[in-house]
Amino acid sequence: DLYSTTRDTRARLMSGGLVIDMAGGRNSLHLAAENGNSEAAEVLYRACPQLAELEDLDGARPRDVALREGARAATISAGRKAVVDLLGAEPIPSQEELRAQAQADVAKGRKRLDLVEAAQKV
């Protein structure tokens, strides 16, 4: 099932009061990280630290999303850097590595959309 990851994640977290059912399997912490909203990221992380370890359908955790969005923008904003620091102590990959990961995510997203469109035509 194309959306099994999203459903599994949603089922695991509903007991904690956080429901996940967003495009690409992202949760609210992914979205805060993507937008560099460090205040929202901190509130969400403190409320449910498990969100930081959940991967979207591309296999990216919220920290990865913040880094890759920064690579797309050619610089990691202060907000995204704060999210990255909050969510993990691993070294930050080079801009080239992050850009390559971001491009791979775009390709996976396109493929996923093509599958959804093909399934809707059936």
Side-chain angles (χ1 to χ4, degrees), residues 49-67:
Q50 305 93 308
L51 288 174
E53 297 306 316
L54 296 176
E55 296 178 348
D56 64 14
L57 296 180
D58 295 326
R61 294 173 296 140
R63 182 181 190 273
D64 304 327
V65 170
L67 288 169

Side-chain angles (χ1 to χ4, degrees), residues 6-110:
T6 302
R7 289 188 189 126
D8 290 346
T9 303
R10 184 175 62 230
R12 284 188 304 213
L13 289 179
M14 283 178 80
S15 63
L18 294 170
V19 177
I20 297 172
D21 194 12
M22 297 178 188
R26 290 187 172 181
N27 61 52
S28 50
L29 187 54
H30 280 97
L31 298 180
E34 179 180 7
N35 292 298
N37 188 334
S38 58
E39 292 91 9
E42 185 166 1
V43 168
L44 291 164
Y45 179 70
R46 301 286 178 230
C48 188
Q50 305 93 308
L51 288 174
E53 297 306 316
L54 296 176
E55 296 178 348
D56 64 14
L57 296 180
D58 295 326
R61 294 173 296 140
R63 182 181 190 273
D64 304 327
V65 170
L67 288 169
R68 292 175 193 175
E69 289 301 317
R72 285 189 186 125
T75 183
I76 297 174
S77 69
R80 287 192 184 107
K81 176 79 169 82
V83 171
V84 168
D85 291 342
L86 172 71
L87 300 180
E90 301 103 26
I92 295 175
S94 70
Q95 285 288 86
E96 294 79 26
E97 291 173 299
L98 292 171
R99 280 191 201 103
Q101 291 170 345
Q103 289 172 348
D105 287 350
V106 168
K108 289 178 195 174
R110 284 188 189 131

